[in-house]
Amino acid sequence: MAQADVLVVGAGIAGLAAAERLAAAGRRDLVLEARDRIGGRIHTAHDPDLDIPVELGAEFVHGHPAELMALVRRLGLTVRSARERHQRGPGEAAPPLPDLPHTLAKLLDGADRGRDRAAADLLQEHAATARARELETAARYLEGFHAADLSLLGSRALAQNEKAGEEDGEQIQRVAEGYGTLVRRLADTIDPDRCEIRLDTEVRAIRWRRGEARAQVWAGGKATWDEIAAAGVVLTVPLPVLRRLVTGPGSERLEPVPAAWLGALASLHMGAAHRVVLGFDSRWWVAGEGDGPSFVHGGGESFPVWWTALPSRAPVITGWSGGPRGALLSGKGEDTMVRAALESLASVFGRDVGELRSRLRVAYAHDWSADPLAGGAYSYGGIGAIEARGALVRPVEGTLFLAGEAVAEEGRNATVHGALVSGYRAAERVLGQL
């Protein structure tokens, strides 16, 4: 039976951040990852025919979050940004969402202090005083950006998200070398004498009491079962995987389940969102030699939002579908997603889908909702989410600790920097408790 001071479940950005801090503090930690790679929902492909990394999961750096930017610099990486150029439909240069900030400000005025209610109810309450087009634009944005069902998205969590976005800054950037390079370099900084990372190793059950935990794990590569003992466990898995551990059958679950977790988990939800990255023979969406648009917005298409690779001029464009619209594509397969993306792209730009298909060179997609180790794209907060996250990150008898984007506080769920900070904070709590 293997032993460690701390068992970290999950080798995404939160798990790696926690492991790095624990190892640096002299703790002996063991990271268990069910996938055959590190990164979790950070998943970067490198195509020899493209001069940019292809992000199948997390892509953007939102604003200038201090901890993430510090990590980027420490790892010797760079970020690239470009001025946002929005366009609606084929060739219409006017920004498609001119009134959105004003509309959101009206919707969320006092929401952080008032009664927590569904975002759909907020929209309904303003139906008599706001223009229908304004509310329709706001609803599409909230569904797509937050990957949310508006009947579940909580008003106070939403207000906190918007406030965090204002604090971090509105600028959109990318890690030039790819997010996958960031997680690899982060893993390389962890002291190998203090930390081991085991891939293809799935935690199926955890039995614990104060000061001791035993995990039953399945090592797929070896096709063997193992038991691992540790003084504490940091769980950094996605929300649906955590729910399975909490509510699964007796032989495949966390036992005992902390009482506070059951109600708290009910206030958090996993969003459905899909991206399809399409590489063409040229940047046909640009007239002449200019930069062209960075974002193009459609209407009722399956993939209504598209962004280009700017500041790179690679002939790559990415389609996005989030919320209920994205949920309709879940489980349909990557071929169906690519076909829907091409049809949407043709509609948004007013082009012939056959022509676009003939000019297509590469296509990438990953269905995170159908991925059993993810169960969705990223989380959003329901009614009571702020209090729920506070309860979930509280150490349980000095033995159980949670981290990951779903429990990232201060409105930074669903972001890489939120997951990173949650990993750091979980490590600090471990060091203060064990």
Side-chain angles (χ1 to χ4, degrees):
M1 179 175 64
Q3 291 186 320
D5 294 335
V6 184
L7 182 63
V8 179
V9 183
I13 191 72
L16 294 174
E20 182 198 32
R21 287 286 171 91
L22 291 168
R27 297 291 182 176
R28 191 162 48 86
D29 48 295
L30 176 60
V31 181
L32 301 181
E33 170 56 54
R35 299 183 188 276
D36 59 2
R37 60 173 178 82
I38 61 173
R41 283 166 286 162
I42 289 176
H43 187 19
T44 306
H46 294 275
D47 192 303
D49 295 327
L50 302 175
D51 64 357
I52 60 170
V54 177
E55 303 289 10
L56 301 180
E59 177 171 357
F60 295 113
V61 176
H62 298 276
H64 296 270
E67 294 85 357
L68 179 56
M69 297 302 288
L71 179 63
V72 167
R73 291 190 296 270
R74 176 160 64 91
L75 298 178
L77 301 173
T78 54
V79 293
R80 302 179 70 185
S81 61
R83 182 171 63 86
E84 289 188 46
R85 298 178 176 88
H86 287 265
Q87 175 177 302
R88 186 196 302 120
E92 186 176 340
L97 311 174
D99 299 323
L100 181 59
H102 178 64
T103 302
L104 289 176
K106 287 195 299 183
L107 284 174
L108 297 175
D109 184 29
D112 57 339
R113 303 178 302 277
R115 178 175 59 88
D116 206 357
R117 54 204 186 279
D121 293 340
L122 276 182
L123 292 166
Q124 184 61 38
E125 289 169 12
H126 286 76
T129 58
R131 291 179 297 176
R133 180 175 177 81
E134 288 181 344
L135 295 180
E136 180 184 1
T137 299
R140 286 185 177 179
Y141 161 77
L142 294 175
E143 287 180 340
F145 186 79
H146 293 279
D149 180 335
L150 300 189
S151 68
L152 298 176
L153 177 62
S155 58
R156 292 186 62 211
L158 174 58
Q160 195 180 53
N161 290 145
E162 293 297 316
K163 181 180 178 181
E166 294 174 2
E167 291 174 351
D168 292 334
E170 299 297 330
Q171 187 176 20
I172 293 178
Q173 305 176 97
R174 295 180 178 90
V175 177
E177 298 83 358
Y179 261 132
T181 302
L182 182 144
V183 295
R184 285 195 300 274
R185 291 193 184 179
L186 175 57
D188 289 343
T189 68
I190 303 175
D191 184 352
D193 293 330
R194 294 285 182 183
C195 176
E196 178 188 356
I197 300 174
R198 293 186 188 177
L199 302 179
D200 201 15
T201 304
E202 183 178 4
V203 174
R204 296 285 182 87
I206 299 174
R207 303 288 182 267
W208 71 279
R209 60 185 180 184
R210 179 184 289 274
E212 180 185 10
R214 293 175 182 268
Q216 296 291 327
V217 304
W218 171 254
K222 299 177 181 178
T224 59
W225 288 94
D226 195 7
E227 184 175 272
I228 299 171
V233 177
V234 181
L235 289 167
T236 73
V237 296
L239 182 62
V241 179
L242 178 60
R243 280 208 178 98
R244 286 203 300 269
L245 271 174
V246 168
T247 63
S251 60
E252 296 185 9
R253 64 182 294 177
L254 175 71
E255 186 66 41
V257 175
W261 287 13
L262 293 172
L265 286 172
S267 293
L268 305 181
H269 306 286
M270 195 64 165
H274 301 286
R275 78 175 62 219
V276 173
V277 183
L278 304 178
F280 288 91
D281 57 358
S282 69
R283 295 191 305 146
W284 52 261
W285 53 86
V286 178
E289 296 299 320
D291 283 341
S294 53
F295 286 86
V296 182
H297 302 261
E301 294 86 3
S302 296
F303 287 85
V305 179
W306 291 83
W307 60 77
T308 63
L310 289 175
S312 167
R313 293 194 174 189
V316 174
I317 190 165
T318 299
W320 179 262
S321 181
R325 203 176 313 199
L328 294 175
L329 293 166
S330 298
K332 297 293 181 64
E334 293 181 10
D335 288 344
T336 297
M337 277 201 285
V338 171
R339 183 166 58 251
L342 281 169
E343 292 169 354
S344 298
L345 189 61
S347 172
V348 170
F349 281 89
R351 305 291 287 246
D352 177 72
V353 68
E355 175 212 356
L356 297 186
R357 190 176 290 112
S358 70
R359 302 181 68 171
L360 182 68
R361 296 296 177 263
V362 293
Y364 287 88
H366 183 86
D367 188 343
W368 294 102
S369 294
D371 184 332
L373 299 178
Y378 46 78
S379 72
Y380 62 94
I383 295 172
I386 296 174
E387 296 78 10
R389 293 190 182 108
L392 289 167
V393 299
R394 197 170 298 126
V396 181
E397 296 192 31
T399 307
L400 296 183
F401 307 83
L402 289 183
E405 63 84 11
V407 296
E409 298 183 276
E410 299 157 0
R412 291 174 175 83
N413 61 291
T415 65
V416 171
H417 58 275
L420 175 72
V421 172
S422 79
Y424 287 154
R425 290 180 176 174
E428 291 165 3
R429 293 181 177 111
V430 171
L431 295 172
Q433 294 275 325
L434 290 186

